[in-house]
Amino acid sequence: GDYRTMIHEFGHYNAMFHSDVPALWEKDNLDVAEIHSQGLELLFFPYADELFGEGGEAFQYYTVLNVLYVVTQGFLYDEFQNMIYASPDMTLDNMNHLFYQLSQEYGEQYSLQEHEEQKGYQWVDVSHTFQTPFYYISYATSGLSALDIWELSGRDRQAAVNKYMEITNFGFQV
């Protein structure tokens, strides 16, 4: 996880390094920013065996699984946030119930040991809901773009790297 986080955050650094716009004047396009990070995670695959040895393949599978999970979570949290912010008088119990229902629709599984009243509270762990509402969809849209770059890398790695670098050269302006 630490390696994945470092690679992810280095993708953001890479974009800031290559951008022609000074950071002080950089606009904040979060959908693009996450392509920088998720794209780099997926382009890192050729180095996974070198870094992790026999665990390289597991690292690759986990990375793809994580990007796919983030895509579905992005849509889940966006739908949830749209519904709760459209209903400012919604009670906490209603929010928890709504999240529980939506999460099941998006394929979340709850253990049999979880008490019914505990199901649906996980949304409070995502600070984006409070600090930057409607940001979480950026993980989904950028994840799909990052997967496009990864798919291209399977056919033509250099073209994928060039596309990734082209996107990072735009910084957050795209």
Side-chain angles (χ1 to χ4, degrees):
D2 291 341
Y3 287 106
R4 257 195 62 258
T5 299
M6 188 223 27
I7 295 163
H8 180 97
E9 298 306 329
F10 191 82
H12 293 305
Y13 165 79
N14 188 39
M16 294 300 286
F17 179 81
H18 288 101
S19 176
D20 292 336
V21 178
L24 184 61
W25 291 284
E26 188 81 61
K27 291 182 181 160
D28 208 11
N29 187 329
L30 301 173
D31 294 339
V32 175
E34 294 304 328
I35 297 171
H36 302 150
S37 54
Q38 293 171 325
L40 188 61
E41 287 180 56
L42 293 166
L43 287 175
F44 186 81
F45 281 17
Y47 310 103
D49 289 341
E50 188 177 321
L51 188 59
F52 299 109
E54 292 180 14
E57 187 175 14
F59 175 82
Q60 292 173 346
Y61 283 125
Y62 180 77
T63 300
V64 172
L65 179 65
N66 186 65
V67 172
L68 292 170
Y69 179 74
V70 166
V71 168
T72 60
Q73 290 295 290
F75 291 123
L76 165 62
Y77 278 93
D78 185 66
E79 187 172 346
F80 175 70
Q81 289 173 5
N82 272 287
M83 293 173 95
I84 63 171
Y85 279 98
S87 305
D89 296 329
M90 187 181 290
T91 67
L92 177 60
D93 285 339
N94 288 345
M95 289 180 198
N96 293 336
H97 182 73
L98 173 63
F99 187 79
Y100 176 69
Q101 284 183 312
L102 288 173
S103 64
Q104 285 193 310
E105 289 176 25
Y106 279 87
E108 290 290 321
Q109 302 292 318
Y110 291 91
S111 71
L112 295 176
Q113 291 79 23
E114 289 182 276
H115 297 290
E116 191 64 35
E117 64 272 7
Q118 293 175 326
K119 295 178 181 178
Y121 281 99
Q122 294 87 342
W123 67 270
V124 299
D125 293 332
V126 176
S127 63
H128 299 73
T129 302
F130 309 102
Q131 295 171 336
T132 50
F134 311 111
Y135 168 64
Y136 221 76
I137 191 69
S138 298
Y139 289 112
T141 58
S142 62
L144 293 172
S145 297
L147 287 165
D148 283 340
I149 292 170
W150 178 59
E151 188 274 330
L152 176 59
S153 74
R155 292 180 284 118
D156 185 343
R157 175 147 176 88
Q158 191 56 53
V161 169
N162 291 345
K163 180 58 65 182
Y164 173 80
M165 291 306 296
E166 179 183 346
I167 292 169
T168 62
N169 285 333
F170 289 123
F172 301 110
Q173 302 300 316
V174 177

